[in-house]
Amino acid sequence: MAAKAKTTAGKKTQSRGTGRGAISIRNVTKIYDPEGVNVMAVDNCSMEIESGEVCMIVGPSGCGKTTLLNVIAGFHSLTFGEIYLDDELLCGPDKPLADQGADRMVVFQNGALFPWKSLLDNVAYGPIVQGVMSKSDARDKARDNLAEAGLGEVADKFPGEVSSGMARRAEIVRALINDPKVLLLDEPYRAMDALTKSIMHESLLEVYDRTKVTIFFITHDLEEAIFLGDRVVVMTTRPARTKKVVDVKIPRPRDYKLLSSEQFRVLVEEAKDAVHEEAIKAFEAGERELA
Amino acid sequence: MTDQAISGIDTSKAQAAPKGLMYAWHRLKKSFGTPTPYLMFFGIVLWLGTYYLLTEGWKVPRFEKIPGPVEVITEFFSYDPIWGTSLFTEDFHTNVYVSCRRIFIAFALATGLGVPLGLFMGWSRKFKDYTFPILETLRPIPILAWVPLAIVMFSGFETPIIFLATLASFFVTTLNTLLGVESIDESYFRAAGCLGSKKHHVFWHVVVPGAMPFIFTGLQISIGVAWFSLVAAEMISGDYGLGYMIMDSYMVNKYVSMVMAMISLGFVGWITSAMVRWGGNRMMQWRVKALALEGR
């Protein structure tokens, strides 16, 4: 996998991006009121994500990072502020809820492949319902894309019949067939063991090197964040604010050998304290996660 | 069988999964390695033995009037039945046929109305707000309480009976379908939204298949309930059918025929349930396969 990643890799990080998929988050605040009490999930958060950047959001569980993703994806409305995608307003004061669309594809925490469709039909679903491809074209392309991701053999199986790693990979294939501007990942590898995780990381990097799609990736795993990201944003516990930004200037393509390098360890050290501090705060607050 | 099977379990290469009859044979062979078939056999023997001893063996008081297993079985398979009804007489066929036809119509009506109603209720908040209170008020009314109204509302023998059976299974189907839609994980709706689905796509690709497991659980219960209310209705107002046969035999002291009708109901009910289950498995291969991997 690593060797393959090297051969298909792009040039250098500075030529990164396809010129689309830049997200501008400006002073976003989100207040929930479950049971009549206002709870601030995100507090005045601003962030500029460049086209083709891998932006990793790290914070303790339940800190409001998923809320931010849900606002971008159009699952939740925002309370104040505005979000732009390629200079077009997604949501703002006059339009608190963004439209859901295939330009921002979400990969969910627990996986959301439709269990009643085969992997192939799952992948072909997007282009078919959007009306951009005929049924047979979509299925042909889906089969090609699955084969490219090493899932050719299991394309006709149902998600319940394959391993969670394969299912997650198929979910990314399902997202990418729609040629999204941004890939939004919400702790996609949370429930996986370390070995599967490392395989998933390399396959995601391989996908990134090939497509240069903008990635907005939520995690609470700092090493995962640094391994994958161009930039790691450490968030405070609820309400979520930007606490620390770490630029990861490690050239791509990257492989797992990086994990034992000096450069990597220095970066982890740099961000560790910030993350740990917030984790303690979150633990002591003991609040339940918001959906 | 190849010699690999003799030398032990073959895991060296991908085996073709057995299909069709071979699969059934494979399952059967496997099941004889478990206690299940023996326990089942023992259970049946125990039950029949108790029944025999109570009635025909020891003739325990209060049981002596009840026809015993030997008497019932002999009568059931007799070409010249003493009480006039057996597996080979026409009136028995008519009774079974009439009951099955009523169940078929009632079940089809209840499913045809209940499943779409439940789906819409689960799908649209507004629609649920309109309909749920009425449904929840009507649902607890016992089916027997509907009998007089059914007789007043409908003419003849057939329609009131079908109405009652439909009503009972309709409530079960609707409620289970509604619960089915509500059980669908929110992330499937979100994923569908992300992928650019329009409302009707969400309905056909998420709501309907997602509710399917609950729908079929509901249908299994609903066909049982349909039989239950059908027999109750036939006993009160009917001119044919297994329920009618029970009541009619009772009135004229043909207890053997009465027990025969009861046993027939058991078998027919079992077969209809199995058919629903089979239909469900056919429509939900994705679920069958996933469950099979979990060893169920």
Side-chain angles (χ1 to χ4, degrees), chain B residues 76 85 91-100 102-103 227 230-232 234-235 239-249 257-269:
Chain B
F76 217 146
T85 305
D91 66 328
F92 179 74
H93 300 164
T94 314
N95 284 330
V96 172
Y97 168 71
V98 167
S99 281
C100 285
R102 285 170 181 160
I103 281 294
W227 275 108
L230 176 91
V231 170
E234 281 177 346
M235 288 172 85
D239 61 343
Y240 277 111
L242 287 167
Y244 171 78
M245 183 174 157
I246 292 177
M247 207 56 189
D248 190 49
S249 312
S257 309
M258 187 181 83
V259 173
M260 275 167 52
M262 290 169 68
I263 294 172
S264 311
L265 269 173
F267 269 105
V268 181

Side-chain angles (χ1 to χ4, degrees), chain B residues 196-274:
Chain B
S197 313
K198 304 209 174 51
K199 272 202 142 184
H200 65 274
H201 294 131
V202 175
F203 184 77
W204 288 111
H205 294 278
V206 179
V207 174
V208 174
M212 218 40 109
F214 272 69
I215 293 177
F216 271 94
T217 311
L219 290 184
Q220 287 225 33
I221 305 170
S222 115
I223 198 142
V225 176
W227 275 108
F228 169 82
S229 44
L230 176 91
V231 170
E234 281 177 346
M235 288 172 85
I236 296 162
S237 84
D239 61 343
Y240 277 111
L242 287 167
Y244 171 78
M245 183 174 157
I246 292 177
M247 207 56 189
D248 190 49
S249 312
Y250 168 69
M251 297 288 201
V252 297
N253 291 338
K254 293 200 298 188
Y255 294 144
V256 177
S257 309
M258 187 181 83
V259 173
M260 275 167 52
M262 290 169 68
I263 294 172
S264 311
L265 269 173
F267 269 105
V268 181
W270 184 23
I271 292 168
T272 50
S273 267

